[in-house]
Amino acid sequence: MPSPTIGRRTRPAYPILLLLAPVLAAGCATTRPGVPPDGVAPTPPAVWATADQPGTPSATATAAGPTRPTPSSARPSASAPRVGLRHVFPVRADDVAYHPTHGAYPATDIFADCGETFVAVTDGTVLEVSRTDRYDKRGPQGPENGGLSVALLGDDGVRYYGSHLSVVTTGVDAGARVRAGQQLGKVGRTGNANNVCHVHFGISPPCTGRDGWWIRRGVLWPARYLDSWRRGGNREPAAEVTAWQRKHGCPKAP
């Protein structure tokens, strides 16, 4: 159910942007083959987004400027997952749309005006933040596709990832605690967003040790959860995430 935003203005009809899904799929996708919405998720490796992963910045910034990357000893560790947590739709805007499918792997592109609010889906701990757009279409496709991004480990044990942001909110740094509905950043078109304002939204399990973009970008189809949260429901993805990880483990490469 759409939520009001501050400073309403005339917005384009985002359902027409759904026609752009194939174009965005080509941008957000990598070289992996497609997976049907109700089929088996791909087998990309599940790992933790870390500062020592080449091309995946986890250096954080404060109001005073950037700080050094979070050392492994300071990275948050998952506690026992909780059930019954509140879940909310990740983009707070009057005019928002998304497609039930994606390109070469399970994820969702949520269309809204640049500058609209991207929020924490549930209570949790920030895993990784990228405040610098290092994407280069001439370079390797995958590691830097997201541009500005935030990865959150929910207290439900699920990782929620949003990318192509225009800005990451001050104070949203690796290790920070956030609550459901708290602002993490703003909708943008950084990375390989093809100049279309949207948030790439992915759901995945975290893995201890090194993690990779091929898991962080998403391993489950989010649409049915987004449908629930948008209506004010509270469908939880933890069971599906756990089942996926039991089947696939933490693969080490795409």
Side-chain angles (χ1 to χ4, degrees):
M1 182 164 53
S3 302
T5 56
I6 298 174
R8 293 187 176 181
R9 60 191 183 282
T10 302
R11 293 175 170 79
Y14 277 102
I16 197 169
L17 278 178
L18 297 183
L19 299 176
L20 294 175
V23 177
L24 288 168
C28 289
T30 63
T31 56
R32 293 184 58 77
V35 178
D38 57 354
V40 177
T43 56
V47 258
W48 207 305
T50 62
D52 57 356
Q53 180 182 324
T56 306
S58 60
T60 60
T62 65
T67 62
R68 63 180 179 275
T70 305
S72 57
S73 60
R75 292 180 196 124
S77 59
S79 56
R82 295 165 52 193
V83 297
L85 290 170
R86 176 183 174 227
H87 292 73
V88 301
F89 193 81
V91 174
R92 190 160 59 231
D94 288 333
D95 196 2
V96 63
Y98 53 94
H99 200 275
T101 59
H102 191 259
Y105 56 93
T108 293
D109 291 326
I110 304 175
F111 303 101
D113 287 345
C114 280
E116 297 287 20
T117 304
F118 171 64
V119 305
V121 167
T122 193
D123 297 353
T125 302
V126 176
L127 286 177
E128 180 194 20
V129 172
S130 172
R131 284 186 165 88
T132 302
D133 187 358
R134 293 181 171 86
Y135 176 70
D136 184 345
K137 63 182 179 181
R138 299 167 298 179
Q141 299 301 296
E144 309 289 0
N145 284 12
L148 276 63
S149 63
V150 177
L152 169 70
L153 175 61
D155 290 346
D156 56 1
V158 176
R159 174 170 44 190
Y160 302 97
Y161 172 69
S163 65
H164 304 317
L165 306 177
S166 60
V167 66
V168 175
T169 301
T170 300
V172 175
D173 304 314
R177 287 287 301 169
V178 296
R179 302 298 300 272
Q182 181 175 331
Q183 179 173 316
L184 301 180
K186 295 185 177 182
V187 176
R189 51 190 176 192
T190 56
N192 68 337
N194 288 321
N195 206 36
V196 176
C197 299
H198 71 285
V199 171
H200 171 97
F201 181 70
I203 297 175
S204 64
C207 288
T208 56
R210 287 173 61 89
D211 203 352
W213 54 268
W214 53 87
I215 288 295
R216 185 177 63 243
R217 66 187 182 180
V219 302
L220 303 181
W221 295 102
R224 55 182 163 175
Y225 301 105
L226 293 173
D227 290 344
S228 172
W229 303 336
R230 194 175 187 185
R231 293 192 301 264
N234 200 42
R235 187 165 192 166
E236 300 183 57
E240 188 179 2
V241 167
T242 298
W244 186 94
Q245 191 170 14
R246 284 175 179 166
K247 180 176 182 180
H248 301 284
C250 295
K252 302 301 181 183

